[in-house]
Amino acid sequence: MKLTYKKGKGDKIHISIDGEYALTVDEMYFASLYLTDGQEIDEEEYAALVERVNVRRAYNCAVSLLSRRDHSKKELFTKLKEKGYSKGAQAAIERLEAGGYVDDERFCRLYAAELVRHKGYGKRRVEQELYRKGVDRDTVYNVLEEISFDNNTLIDIIKRRYLDKMTDEKGRQKAFNALMRLGYSYGEIRDALRDIDEEITCEVYDE
């Protein structure tokens, strides 16, 4: 098979095989391939070239995604597939993982902290969200063991969002349901409400 190429717009190089368009790469990457116009390549060499280009494209897309925020391996793979880079996705992710740019444990730790700090999620909800991102169970378990889920966060959420809605049974049930969706158990909510009641009682007596 005869390989030829020509300059395209910007820094693009269009590669053809036996006169038919095959691939487009950027000039810098093309230079690293050490290809010459009119050279002969066999099917095995062409397949290797296509694979290298696919991995390159997937890698560049992955780097762009990671520049915006951290991703888990599974999440990154899914996004690359959605963008049409499925053929080179796995190899690209392996390269990024080897370089320390993709790390499920680091992602898990940062994302869990964000869910607790900014969204007020309880342990169960945080666990669910991490599984949704494709983090394995052992990693999730180890990271959640490091995080303190104390009642103070829950008490603060109840005071800010729900306390004034608990004036009747209907409002109380709605608040309970909302808090359970945030990942708190019935027992945790009950204990937090008891602590709030005790705090309010103390304030009344102090007056």
Side-chain angles (χ1 to χ4, degrees):
M1 297 187 295
K2 186 177 181 179
L3 182 149
T4 56
Y5 64 87
K6 63 180 180 179
K7 184 97 167 53
K9 291 183 179 180
D11 67 343
K12 302 301 181 185
I13 299 292
H14 303 304
I15 300 172
S16 296
I17 301 295
D18 292 335
E20 293 187 7
Y21 168 77
L23 301 163
T24 295
V25 296
D26 61 82
E27 283 183 307
M28 185 176 295
Y29 186 61
F30 180 77
S32 72
L33 297 173
Y34 298 104
L35 298 172
T36 57
D37 195 38
Q39 79 176 76
E40 293 290 331
I41 63 172
D42 58 29
E43 290 186 2
E44 186 176 339
E45 290 171 327
Y46 176 63
L49 173 62
V50 171
E51 183 178 0
R52 287 182 66 184
V53 172
N54 284 336
V55 173
R56 166 80 172 186
R57 288 172 175 169
Y59 184 90
N60 287 343
C61 182
V63 168
S64 177
L65 290 169
L66 291 169
S67 69
R68 300 167 198 168
R69 68 167 179 83
D70 212 354
H71 289 67
S72 68
K73 287 187 291 185
K74 183 178 179 181
E75 183 185 24
L76 192 58
F77 183 80
T78 299
K79 287 193 176 182
L80 289 174
K81 283 182 65 178
E82 290 172 350
K83 291 178 178 295
Y85 300 109
S86 56
K87 292 182 179 178
Q90 189 58 46
I93 291 171
E94 288 173 2
R95 282 180 56 189
L96 288 162
E97 187 176 18
Y101 299 106
V102 177
D103 184 328
D104 270 8
E105 186 173 334
R106 180 186 66 217
F107 167 80
C108 186
R109 187 173 288 110
L110 292 172
Y111 190 51
E114 178 185 340
L115 293 175
V116 173
R117 184 168 57 250
H118 297 300
K119 295 196 174 183
Y121 285 175
K123 186 173 184 178
R124 290 191 302 178
R125 181 65 184 274
V126 172
E127 186 177 24
Q128 291 170 3
E129 294 299 320
L130 291 171
Y131 289 149
R132 282 181 56 201
K133 294 293 186 180
V135 183
D136 67 85
R137 289 184 177 277
D138 287 343
T139 302
V140 171
Y141 175 82
N142 291 335
V143 167
L144 291 184
E145 285 294 296
E146 300 172 3
I147 299 175
S148 174
F149 292 89
D150 58 56
N151 247 13
N152 292 331
T153 300
L154 178 53
I155 289 172
D156 182 58
I157 291 172
I158 292 172
K159 285 181 176 180
R160 286 188 293 106
R161 303 183 192 176
Y162 302 107
L163 197 58
D164 62 343
K165 298 178 176 64
M166 293 184 175
T167 54
D168 56 38
E169 185 58 34
K170 185 177 179 180
R172 195 176 182 87
Q173 189 59 53
K174 284 185 177 180
F176 258 80
N177 292 340
L179 291 165
M180 291 183 78
R181 286 194 295 273
L182 286 176
Y184 297 98
S185 68
Y186 184 89
E188 288 172 329
I189 300 168
R190 181 197 59 210
D191 291 345
L193 287 172
R194 182 194 61 209
D195 291 345
I196 291 172
D197 287 340
E198 290 177 357
E199 181 182 324
I200 291 172
T201 302
C202 287
E203 289 175 354
V204 170
Y205 278 110
D206 286 345
E207 290 176 358

